Every structure is written in C-alpha cells, then in structure tokens.
Amino acid sequence: MQIWKDGTIYIGEWKNDRINGQGKFWHPNGDKYDGEFMSSKADGYGVYTHINGDVYEGYWKRDQKHGTGREELEDDSVYEGEFFEGKRNGRGVCTFDDGSKYEGEWANNMMH
C-alpha cells in the first residue's frame, strides 16, 4: 500500500518502482480506479467511479478511455461503444434518461 501526502492511496502491484499490473487507486477527491496499470497509468481494463456517481467500465490507454467501454452518467444516460483518446469516437449507442436513443457514429464526443 502507498499513501501520498495529498491523500492519494494505491493498493496493488508494482514493477520497477512504478504502478504496474492490477490495483486500486483512490484520488484525493474521492474518485476511484480499479483495474490494470502500466507505467503508473490506467492501461488495460478497468472501472473508474467518480464521486458524483458517474462510472466508466472498459479499456484504457495512458490514463484515457480508449477502446470499448460503457459509461453511466449521473444524469441517467448510458453510452456503450468506442472511445479514442478519452472521447467517444467510432460506433456507439447512447440511451438518454427519457428513454430516447442514438445509435451510430461519434466523433470527439459528438453524435456524427
């Protein structure tokens, strides 16, 4: 277990003095990441839970959502699809809180 002065906590695997492998990381603001790390960054499959209730479950690359994933937001909307460098990009489906749905292409977090 590693605890930083700012309240950050990490429990998990290390390699060459860096966070690597499976672990859990708590940010000082209460956000939590549970998943795979490489070179001290979220990389691979993991779940990020924000203090406000937003949850992303899926793939990461260098601390950014990257690949396929599912994002449930505090406004009750749910997005399932592709991400690229932290943004909705590619094919995806978003179901909004009123039950309406958009299925199609996304670019830079925008329906395309």
Side-chain angles (χ1 to χ4, degrees):
M1 178 189 299
Q2 173 79 34
I3 301 173
W4 285 264
K5 288 181 183 180
D6 68 358
T8 300
I9 300 170
Y10 174 72
I11 300 172
E13 299 173 340
W14 294 83
K15 182 178 178 184
N16 299 326
D17 293 326
R18 300 199 74 150
I19 296 172
N20 268 295
Q22 281 295 129
K24 295 180 181 181
F25 191 95
W26 288 267
H27 295 271
N29 68 357
D31 289 358
K32 175 186 168 189
Y33 174 76
D34 183 354
E36 297 175 293
F37 291 87
M38 182 182 294
S39 297
S40 297
K41 296 187 183 282
D43 203 299
Y45 191 82
V47 178
Y48 193 103
T49 306
H50 295 266
I51 191 76
N52 71 354
D54 291 355
V55 177
Y56 171 78
E57 181 173 357
Y59 288 91
W60 296 81
K61 186 172 185 178
R62 290 185 226 115
D63 271 347
Q64 294 187 343
K65 302 169 199 167
H66 195 88
T68 57
R70 176 183 169 91
E71 189 173 50
E72 297 179 27
L73 301 178
E74 142 181 71
D75 67 4
D76 291 328
S77 64
V78 177
Y79 173 81
E80 291 185 73
E82 299 172 359
F83 290 83
F84 181 78
E85 295 180 348
K87 296 180 180 175
R88 297 174 184 182
N89 268 294
R91 193 116 184 101
V93 177
C94 188
T95 305
F96 300 96
D97 64 339
D98 64 1
S100 63
K101 183 186 289 194
Y102 170 77
E103 182 172 352
E105 293 296 317
W106 292 77
N108 294 318
N109 280 338
M110 305 290 287
M111 294 177 267
H112 204 275

